Amino acid sequence: MEADKKMEAKGKTVSEALQKALTVLGLTEDQVDVKVVQKPEFGVLGIFGKKEAVVEVTPKNVEAGPPAEEAAVLSETPTDADAEADISEAAADRAEAEAYLDDEAEAIQTTAKQFLKDMITAMALEVAVTTDYDRNSDVLHVELAGPKMGILIGRRGQTLDAIQYLTSLAVNKTTDHYVRVLINTEHYREKRQGTLEHLAHKMADKAVRYHKKMVLEPMNPGERRIIHATLQDSETVYTYSEGHDPYRHVVIDLKENQDRGD
């Protein structure tokens, strides 16, 4: 390959840009030299000022080697230097991949913080935003703290859920994979889960006592899952959801009705 065949390629991530170039050149990664011209920048709210990754890919020159028969023999007898070179190359690849993932995690958290800062400023509130991104599970945990968190929580957490949803949209515009965003403040999520678990047991007891099914108030998918999980091992009742969002709700009914097909 000749060096003048080098090319630039763009993508949402460095990896995507590199793959585009390799496809055009018809080469593999070990047959080229790669230079990162520009790392991706996700911009304000993941929209404004966004820049794609740019890489410069140059095919490596193939130098003349020994005759084919000799090369075959040599290839079967790797030296210690070859092994050390392979180990060093693998370590360098791992370090580069780790650095890229660190940059991506930082960009995800920066996008979330900027989005929330702009939104909360518009609400004339003073709120501190802290983030923690778990790369293994692709979950971004966000904690909000300030003097008037009740406003951000809203009735039964509806405002907090809306903020979480909008932040998730902003974050996932900047990634090539889905990141789950979880926003909490003043341990509201834990308190709400405890309230729902208590409600589930209370309504299950009523279903048994009055011998009829109990219809709960409309809930979002996450809250419905808590009700289902709380009663999934019950010997007397079972649960199911009916209706359509935003009015979809959980029904708690007697297992004997389920067995009869009622």
Side-chain angles (χ1 to χ4, degrees), residues 227-256:
I227 301 293
H228 294 311
T230 301
L231 298 176
Q232 65 181 355
D233 296 325
S234 173
E235 296 180 356
T236 55
V237 301
Y238 73 103
T239 64
Y240 60 92
S241 296
E242 64 179 13
H244 301 282
D245 287 326
Y247 305 108
R248 191 165 175 79
H249 53 266
V250 175
V251 177
I252 302 175
D253 201 357
L254 299 175
K255 276 194 172 179
E256 61 187 55

Side-chain angles (χ1 to χ4, degrees), residues 110-124:
T110 298
T111 298
K113 286 180 178 179
Q114 187 63 56
F115 179 83
L116 287 165
K117 178 182 177 181
D118 292 345
M119 179 187 295
I120 293 169
T121 297
M123 299 171 70

